[in-house]
Amino acid sequence: DPYAFFAVAVMSPGARPVAVDPGVVVVEQAGQSVMISNAAGEASASWQAMIGENTPRGLVHLGIGLARCGLAGARQSLADAESAYRVAVALGKSVVYYGDHWLSCLILQHRAQLEPLVAPAVKVLRHDPELCRTLEAFLAADGNLTATGKALFVHPNTVGYRLKQFAQRAGVEPRSTSGVGLIQVALVSLQLDAASGTQS
């Protein structure tokens, strides 16, 4: 049905599911294996149907795209899956679902454009692991100083002081909307650098 929902996964070359569902097509391409499925319901359910409980043979990395409608949607799901696959390779993860890691996918795809925006923050964070942990906890706590302090076992005023220091050193205000976005990009960039061994 060309109007159905399709979900696509991209795997390491030669990887194949142990048992392929009848509604799944596996295409071997140079450099990758592609699985296409009619996605019924939740994306996670379609992937359970696709690979079941079994890890595909030869799997090193797997990128899973969003379930999308129609043939154009299948093409977009393939683009999602390829992006998720690149993130899986870059971060050394076995499975990356685009829906859960969309920010990392977009950052990796547009890294050259984003790098000048986050370079000062990356430079500061690369040399200050404590500040890096503080900002990660701050984002995880949705900007709540008390919750951040509890997560780090420090007083909320200490969190506020660290955020102020970061703003002065990096020129990014962590309590602003644009600052939160830049910090997220900087933290993902650091993860990508650490995974690749790059220290730019």
Side-chain angles (χ1 to χ4, degrees):
D1 179 5
Y3 302 104
F5 277 80
F6 295 93
V8 180
V10 172
M11 294 172 284
S12 304
R16 288 186 66 84
V18 175
V20 179
D21 186 273
V24 175
V25 176
V26 179
V27 180
E28 296 289 336
Q29 296 181 331
Q32 65 188 18
S33 297
V34 177
M35 292 174 55
I36 305 167
S37 170
N38 276 2
E42 295 284 325
S44 59
S46 69
W47 288 104
Q48 285 297 328
M50 209 182 265
I51 63 173
E53 299 297 323
N54 301 307
T55 302
R57 287 189 191 105
L59 177 68
V60 178
H61 304 292
L62 171 68
I64 303 171
L66 297 175
R68 295 180 183 267
C69 185
L71 297 178
R75 187 178 305 116
Q76 184 59 55
S77 184
L78 173 61
D80 296 344
E82 288 174 332
S83 183
Y85 175 78
R86 286 190 294 275
V87 168
V89 171
L91 296 179
K93 294 181 178 248
S94 294
V95 179
V96 170
Y97 173 54
Y98 187 89
D100 294 334
H101 297 277
W102 61 270
L103 183 61
S104 296
C105 292
L106 292 175
I107 290 169
L108 186 60
Q109 184 177 354
H110 299 286
R111 194 132 188 237
Q113 292 170 284
L114 296 170
E115 199 168 293
L117 295 171
V118 297
V122 168
K123 184 177 178 182
V124 169
L125 294 175
R126 180 171 285 125
H127 301 292
D128 194 336
E130 181 179 77
L131 189 51
C132 199
R133 284 189 298 276
T134 300
L135 289 173
E136 288 171 341
F138 180 70
L139 293 178
D142 292 325
N144 184 300
L145 296 182
T146 302
T148 304
K150 284 182 182 178
L152 297 172
F153 304 104
V154 299
H155 194 278
N157 289 346
T158 302
V159 175
Y161 174 77
R162 290 178 186 173
L163 296 178
K164 185 176 178 182
Q165 290 298 307
F166 174 75
Q168 291 172 349
R169 292 167 56 195
V172 175
E173 175 50 59
R175 296 184 202 194
S176 71
T177 304
S178 63
V180 167
L182 288 172
I183 290 166
Q184 288 176 315
V185 173
L187 290 171
V188 171
S189 293
L190 282 171
Q191 284 182 327
L192 293 169
D193 288 346
S196 69
T198 305
Q199 294 295 318
S200 55

